[in-house]
């Protein structure tokens, strides 16, 4: 079954163009060669966006749901008549001349005329919705504000960005705007096209560049950011061609035994790291080292503390708290030689033994003194209060003050390391 293509939002820019002759204005007409094995050469055009729109709809059979064109009041908006052709009806022809003439005014095309022009051209585009956006090119937030308003939130989209026309800085502002908007809109892909007029000065047909690297970097950045924030590595691995790692991540989150699965993943990452370009080596190395550090740990409690520190560094305090607490319980199970510490009833036996120690305070086994016992009790109180949303029996400051919690957590990591050393030396 073929993957369903995403609906497209096309974003173009339009500028003043350069005069071809003294008595003309607008962009010089040319033909463009699209990057599809020399199958598609455009009609002669002065506005590349028109040919890209036709190419997306006609050749690639994509649904261009919206077409957003950014320009200024003095841009050559009249060039968009090419969408319809010069044989437009009389009403549209008259409106075309009105736009054409206003472009030479000091203030350019009025907003009312531009809106009228947008509506008239838009009626000829079928189901595609047209937006002519007149911006002040130095009011940079207007780009992101417009895109925030116009791009819907209800479904996933592919953004196609046409860099060809307009002021040189405008595509950069739009690009970073899209990166920001991806946090709120369902932007799944970004494709970038450029009608490279200047790359073939002696040729009548100019090349079209489809810059796939930008979408790759966008996808990789999104996926790696998810790993950095959440620890979820599967999306990044899928982007570099390593499939079916989601269940490994799931079992890691569920604290299952998965040493062989982790070893297989690190081996795959090791092989990938050898063959990829430099920009991929660093993130692959980082994820590989993180996973590899887990495969070298013999016991579950060791892996849980490693993950607790991982999440603590990412400010995911509840996950880190739960993992550290449970790691100490499991370590105590090893100390008391309760081998089936994954069993709930056995885990409760471990907790009762620890509780008995901390209450007697004169017959230490797992802990060695009151300080260690009190430290664990504080951790348990905070863990229970955080998990259940209740007030702690004591030391409420650990729940109300982040710095105090961080101090407690790191003290308990040190406690775990002391206890582990004693257990290992027995």
């Amino acid at each position: 079954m073929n993957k369903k293509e995403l609906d497209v939002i096309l974003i173009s820019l339009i500028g003043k163009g350069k005069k071809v002759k003294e008595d003309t204005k607008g962009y010089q007409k040319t033909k463009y060669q699209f990057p599809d094995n020399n199958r598609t050469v455009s009609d002669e055009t002065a506005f590349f966006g028109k040919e890209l729109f036709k190419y997306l709809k006609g050749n690639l059979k994509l649904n261009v749901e919206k077409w957003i064109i950014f320009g200024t009041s003095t841009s050559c908006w009249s060039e968009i008549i090419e969408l319809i052709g010069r044989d437009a009806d009389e009403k549209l022809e008259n409106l075309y001349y009105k736009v054409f003439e206003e472009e030479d005014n000091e203030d350019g095309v009025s907003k009312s005329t531009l809106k009228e022009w947008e509506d008239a051209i838009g009626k000829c585009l079928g189901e595609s919705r047209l937006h002519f956006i007149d911006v002040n090119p130095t009011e940079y937030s207007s780009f992101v504000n417009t895109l925030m308003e116009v791009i819907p939130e209800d479904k996933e989209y592919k953004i196609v960005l046409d860099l060809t026309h307009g002021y040189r800085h405008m595509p950069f502002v739009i690009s970073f705007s899209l990166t920001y908007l991806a946090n709120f809109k369902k932007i799944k892909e970004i494709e970038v096209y450029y009608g490279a007029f200047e790359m073939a000065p002696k040729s009548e047909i100019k090349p079209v560049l489809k810059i796939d690297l930008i979408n790759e970097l966008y996808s990789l950045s999104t996926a790696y950011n998810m790993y950095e924030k959440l620890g979820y590595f599967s999306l990044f691995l899928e982007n570099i061609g390593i499939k079916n790692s989601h269940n490994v991540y799931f079992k890691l989150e569920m604290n299952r035994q998965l040493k062989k699965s982790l070893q297989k993943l690190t081996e795959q990452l090791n092989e990938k790291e050898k063959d990829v370009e430099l920009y991929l080596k660093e993130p692959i190395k980082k994820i590989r080292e993180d996973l590899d550090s887990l495969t070298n740990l013999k016991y579950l409690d060791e892996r849980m503390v490693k993950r607790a520190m991982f999440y603590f560094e990412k400010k995911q305090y509840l996950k880190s708290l739960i993992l550290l607490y449970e790691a100490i319980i499991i370590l105590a199970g090893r100390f008391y030689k309760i081998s089936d510490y994954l069993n709930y009833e056995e885990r409760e036996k471990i907790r009762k033994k620890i509780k008995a120690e901390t209450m007697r305070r004169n017959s230490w086994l797992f802990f060695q003194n009151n300080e260690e016992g009190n430290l664990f009790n504080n951790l348990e109180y905070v863990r229970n209060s955080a998990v259940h949303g209740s007030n702690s029996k004591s030391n409420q400051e650990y729940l109300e003050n982040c710095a105090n919690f961080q101090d407690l957590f790191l003290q308990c990591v040190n406690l775990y390391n002391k206890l582990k050393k004693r257990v290992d030396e027995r």
Side-chain angles (χ1 to χ4, degrees):
M1 184 176 178
N2 293 331
K3 179 183 174 183
K4 186 180 182 298
E5 287 283 359
L6 295 168
D7 287 339
V8 169
I9 294 177
L10 172 60
I11 302 173
S12 295
L13 299 105
I14 189 166
K16 291 184 178 181
K18 296 179 180 179
K19 287 188 177 182
V20 182
K21 297 178 183 178
E22 189 61 32
D23 59 343
T24 65
K25 61 180 179 178
Y27 292 106
Q28 182 177 336
K29 289 183 179 293
T30 192
K31 293 182 178 181
Y32 289 97
Q33 171 72 64
F34 281 88
D36 54 2
N37 299 320
N38 298 320
R39 290 196 302 270
T40 304
V41 176
S42 76
D43 295 332
E44 190 173 54
T45 183
F47 178 47
F48 173 74
K50 180 262 292 190
E51 292 301 318
L52 179 57
F53 177 78
K54 286 169 52 181
Y55 177 74
L56 295 173
K57 286 179 68 75
N59 295 69
L60 301 187
K61 309 299 182 186
L62 297 174
N63 176 36
V64 181
E65 185 172 302
K66 289 178 180 289
W67 186 9
I68 305 166
I69 303 176
F70 285 99
T72 69
S73 62
T74 57
S75 294
C76 52
W77 295 101
S78 58
E79 297 283 8
I80 299 174
I81 191 65
E82 289 190 359
L83 278 168
I84 315 304
R86 298 289 175 168
D87 57 346
D89 62 42
E90 183 178 354
K91 183 178 179 181
L92 190 62
E93 188 79 7
N94 291 335
L95 183 55
Y96 159 75
Y97 283 113
K98 181 180 180 183
V99 175
F100 185 85
E101 289 170 3
E102 286 190 16
E103 288 167 358
D104 288 332
N105 294 342
E106 183 177 349
D107 295 329
V109 181
S110 69
K111 291 189 180 299
S112 60
T113 299
L114 188 62
K115 177 59 178 171
E116 190 179 357
W117 187 229
E118 174 195 289
D119 291 341
I121 298 293
K123 289 177 181 178
C124 304
L125 295 189
E127 296 180 355
S128 300
R129 178 74 187 275
L130 187 63
H131 299 270
F132 290 168
I133 310 298
D134 172 13
V135 293
N136 181 329
T138 59
E139 289 181 0
Y140 308 122
S141 62
S142 61
F143 295 93
V144 67
N145 287 337
T146 296
L147 294 172
M148 179 72 83
E149 180 180 2
V150 172
I151 297 176
E153 300 177 357
D154 58 341
K155 63 180 179 181
E156 298 177 343
Y157 286 96
K158 173 192 291 186
I159 301 293
V160 176
L161 178 57
D162 163 21
L163 305 179
T164 308
H165 303 303
Y167 288 112
R168 290 182 179 180
H169 71 280
M170 292 168 70
F172 293 99
V173 178
I174 293 171
S175 297
F176 283 100
S177 297
L178 290 171
T179 302
Y180 172 73
L181 287 173
N183 294 294
F184 315 103
K185 309 290 185 174
K186 298 176 182 178
I187 299 173
K188 305 305 290 184
E189 297 178 31
I190 297 177
E191 287 187 353
V192 176
Y193 286 84
Y194 177 59
F197 184 89
E198 70 281 8
M199 287 186 69
K202 296 182 180 180
S203 173
E204 293 182 1
I205 300 176
K206 312 301 182 182
V208 175
L209 305 183
K210 182 173 181 283
I211 311 173
D212 291 326
L213 179 65
I214 291 178
N215 186 56
E216 181 186 357
L217 293 176
Y218 170 76
S219 299
L220 289 170
S221 178
T222 302
Y224 190 75
N225 190 46
M226 184 176 291
Y227 175 72
E228 276 292 292
K229 287 183 176 178
L230 305 175
Y232 181 66
F233 52 75
S234 298
L235 185 59
F236 185 87
L237 266 56
E238 186 156 334
N239 271 278
I240 62 171
I242 298 176
K243 308 295 184 183
N244 304 318
S245 64
H246 176 75
N247 205 47
V248 178
Y249 172 80
F250 174 75
K251 289 196 286 186
L252 182 61
E253 286 289 285
M254 295 296 110
N255 295 313
R256 301 299 91 191
Q257 300 295 331
L258 71 169
K259 184 173 183 178
K260 290 183 179 179
S261 298
L262 286 175
Q263 285 176 334
K264 182 180 178 181
L265 269 188
T266 55
E267 288 168 5
Q268 289 177 289
L269 285 165
N270 191 50
E271 289 301 309
K272 281 284 182 185
E273 191 180 347
K274 294 176 184 177
D275 299 327
V276 297
E277 292 192 56
L278 183 61
Y279 69 89
L280 282 170
K281 288 186 182 292
E282 188 62 29
I284 290 175
K285 178 184 177 183
K286 177 67 168 63
I287 295 175
R288 175 179 57 77
E289 289 178 347
D290 286 346
L291 296 181
D292 194 46
S293 68
L294 296 173
T295 65
N296 297 324
L297 302 176
K298 183 177 180 180
Y299 297 105
L300 175 60
D301 55 275
E302 296 174 310
R303 194 167 74 240
M304 292 175 82
V305 172
K306 187 80 174 178
R307 295 289 280 175
M309 285 300 302
F310 179 87
Y311 288 120
F312 178 77
E313 291 168 0
K314 299 180 186 325
K315 316 300 183 188
Q316 295 190 53
Y317 295 127
L318 182 60
K319 291 180 78 170
S320 60
L321 172 65
I322 293 170
L323 285 166
L324 179 58
Y325 171 77
E326 293 298 334
I328 294 176
I329 298 296
I330 292 170
L331 179 63
R334 291 206 282 127
F335 175 85
Y336 296 129
K337 298 190 183 302
I338 299 175
S339 59
D340 193 14
Y341 46 72
L342 294 179
N343 181 284
Y344 175 78
E345 293 180 355
E346 297 300 300
R347 193 81 67 93
E348 287 304 300
K349 289 180 183 178
I350 299 170
R351 287 191 176 90
K352 287 179 181 179
K353 284 181 173 289
I354 291 176
K355 183 62 68 178
E357 271 197 44
T358 57
M359 291 183 68
R360 286 196 306 268
R361 296 182 177 275
N362 59 2
S363 180
W364 297 104
L365 294 171
F366 182 54
F367 302 116
Q368 287 196 343
N369 51 51
N370 285 344
E371 182 182 355
E372 291 184 355
N374 288 338
L375 197 54
F376 175 79
N377 282 341
N378 283 337
L379 181 69
E380 183 175 59
Y381 292 150
V382 172
R383 179 263 184 197
N384 291 341
S385 298
V387 169
H388 300 295
S390 57
N391 291 328
S392 176
K393 294 180 180 179
S394 63
N395 298 325
Q396 187 73 10
E397 70 269 18
Y398 295 128
L399 293 161
E400 304 293 341
N401 185 287
C402 183
N404 289 343
F405 170 81
Q406 290 174 333
D407 184 58
L408 173 66
F409 180 89
L410 293 174
Q411 286 186 60
C412 289
V413 170
N414 289 333
L415 173 62
Y416 168 84
N417 290 330
K418 289 180 184 178
L419 296 170
K420 179 179 176 298
K421 183 176 180 181
R422 291 176 204 153
V423 171
D424 292 342
E425 290 175 350
R426 289 185 69 188

